[in-house]
Amino acid sequence: MEHTGKHALVTGGGTGIGHDIAVALANAGAEVTITGRRLDVLNDVAATHDRLHALQMDVTDEASVRDGVATISALRGPIQICVANAGIAEGKAFSKTTLADWRKTMTTNLDGVFLTLQAALATLPADTPARMIAVSSIAGVRGLKGAIPYTATKHGVIGLIRGLSEEYMNTPITFNALCPGYVETDIVRGQLPGLMRRFGVDEDGARALIAKGNRSGQLLEVDEVTAAAMWLCSDGARSVNGQTIEIAGGQV
Ligand code: NDP
C-alpha cells in the first residue's frame, strides 16, 4: 500500500491504537501529523520516524483544532487521510454520573471528532480523494453498562460518520467508523487497578475480566485495528462508505 505524498492526521497518535495506525501510515509513505495534549509523548514518538510530526492539539478546544489543522495543512498539504481517534473512557454507574462527567466525555469523544473532521475537510481542494475514519467502539453499536456517556458518544460518532457519508455522496471522500472490542492499550491498562481491588484478583485476573467482554475472550492487539484502518485507506476500499467495521473477535 503506497501513500507517498499524502498528508495524514491521526488524533491521539502518540499512544495506543492511534500510534500504531500513525506508524503504519508513515511506513506506507505518508507524512503523518500526530496530535494529543502531551507534547513530550508526541515528540518522543516523532523522534522514531522521519515522517511522523508532532502537534499539540486538544480536541476539546475549537481554536486548538482549527488553528492546528490549518497550520499543518499549510506545512504538509491537505489532509487526505484523517483518523479521528482521540478519546477517553471513564466508567461509573449511571446514578453516580455527574453532568460534568457526561460533558467531559461528550466534549472529547463527540465534539472532538466533529471538530477534527470538519477542520480536515476544510483543507481539501474540490475533487481531492480522501479517507475520513473515526475510531468508535463496540460501544457504538451496543450498550455498555457502567459507561453510559461513553456509549452515547460512540453511538454519536457512528451517526456523524453515516450522515457525512450521505452529505458527501458523489465526492471522492469516504467516511467510515472502526468499532474495536477491548484492545490492550492505556485505556484498558488504566482499568486494571480498580478491577484488582474490586474483585480481589491479580493483574492477569483483572485483564481476563476485561477480555471476557470480547466474544473471543481475548484482548485484541492494536495491529488488528491498524489492519482495518489501512484497508479503509487502500484503493480497493474506495467504495466502502458510511460503514461500521467491527473488530471484536466475534459478533457484538
Ligand atoms: P489511549 O489512551 O492510548 O489513547 C487515547 C489518545 O487520545 C491519547 O493519545 C490521548 O493523548 C488522546 N486524547 C485524549 N483526550 C484528548 C484531548 N482532549 N485532546 C487531544 N487528544 C486527546 O487509548 P486507545 O488507543 O485505546 O484509544 C484510542 C481510541 O480507541 C479512543 O477513541 C477509544 O475510545 C477507542 N477505543 C479503544 C478501545 C480499547 O479497548 N482500548 C476499544 C474501542 C475503542 P493525550 O492524553 O496526550 O491528550
Side-chain angles (χ1 to χ4, degrees), residues 15 17 37-38 57-59 85 136 150 154 181 183 185 187:
T15 63
I17 293 169
R37 293 163 299 180
R38 290 167 294 165
M57 187 178 97
D58 184 337
V59 297
N85 159 78
S136 174
Y150 187 75
K154 294 300 187 180
V183 188
T185 69
I187 281 186

Side-chain angles (χ1 to χ4, degrees), residues 11-19 35-42 57-61 65 84-89 107-109 113 135-139 150 154 178-189 191 210 214 219-220 222 225:
T11 66
T15 63
I17 293 169
H19 171 246
T35 69
R37 293 163 299 180
R38 290 167 294 165
L39 189 56
D40 53 335
V41 172
L42 297 167
M57 187 178 97
D58 184 337
V59 297
T60 69
D61 178 341
V65 177
N85 159 78
I88 54 170
T107 314
T108 309
N109 292 5
V113 175
V135 180
S136 174
S137 162
I138 52 165
Y150 187 75
K154 294 300 187 180
L178 294 176
C179 300
Y182 294 93
V183 188
E184 171 91 48
T185 69
D186 287 350
I187 281 186
V188 160
R189 286 187 282 268
Q191 294 176 28
I210 297 180
N214 289 338
L219 283 179
L220 305 175
V222 286
V225 185

Side-chain angles (χ1 to χ4, degrees), residues 12-211:
T15 63
I17 293 169
H19 171 246
D20 202 64
I21 294 173
V23 171
L25 287 167
N27 286 340
E31 297 296 329
V32 186
T33 303
I34 52 172
T35 69
R37 293 163 299 180
R38 290 167 294 165
L39 189 56
D40 53 335
V41 172
L42 297 167
N43 280 336
D44 286 351
V45 171
T48 65
H49 202 299
D50 284 350
R51 285 190 292 278
L52 289 178
H53 312 279
L55 171 74
Q56 190 171 36
M57 187 178 97
D58 184 337
V59 297
T60 69
D61 178 341
E62 180 171 8
S64 174
V65 177
R66 297 206 191 284
D67 296 350
V69 171
T71 302
I72 57 167
S73 65
L75 283 172
R76 293 178 205 107
I79 313 286
Q80 278 189 271
I81 297 172
C82 178
V83 184
N85 159 78
I88 54 170
E90 293 177 348
K92 221 182 240 184
F94 183 59
S95 59
K96 296 204 165 70
T97 300
T98 64
L99 185 58
D101 295 329
W102 169 266
R103 286 190 175 147
K104 182 180 173 197
T105 304
M106 282 286 158
T107 314
T108 309
N109 292 5
L110 195 49
D111 297 3
V113 175
F114 161 77
L115 288 172
T116 301
L117 295 180
Q118 198 178 58
L121 285 166
T123 70
L124 291 170
D127 301 324
T128 307
R131 301 295 158 86
M132 300 284 147
I133 299 170
V135 180
S136 174
S137 162
I138 52 165
V141 288
R142 54 156 293 198
L144 284 190
K145 66 180 179 184
I148 302 305
Y150 187 75
T151 298
T153 58
K154 294 300 187 180
H155 275 68
V157 165
I158 289 175
L160 188 52
I161 285 296
R162 286 181 173 156
L164 285 167
S165 73
E166 292 294 325
E167 190 158 325
Y168 284 79
M169 195 62 68
N170 302 318
T171 74
I173 308 173
T174 63
F175 299 84
N176 291 288
L178 294 176
C179 300
Y182 294 93
V183 188
E184 171 91 48
T185 69
D186 287 350
I187 281 186
V188 160
R189 286 187 282 268
Q191 294 176 28
L192 297 177
L195 289 171
M196 288 161 70
R197 276 193 304 275
R198 192 162 148 211
F199 294 100
V201 291
D202 63 9
E203 193 173 297
D204 284 345
R207 196 176 270 106
L209 286 172
I210 297 180

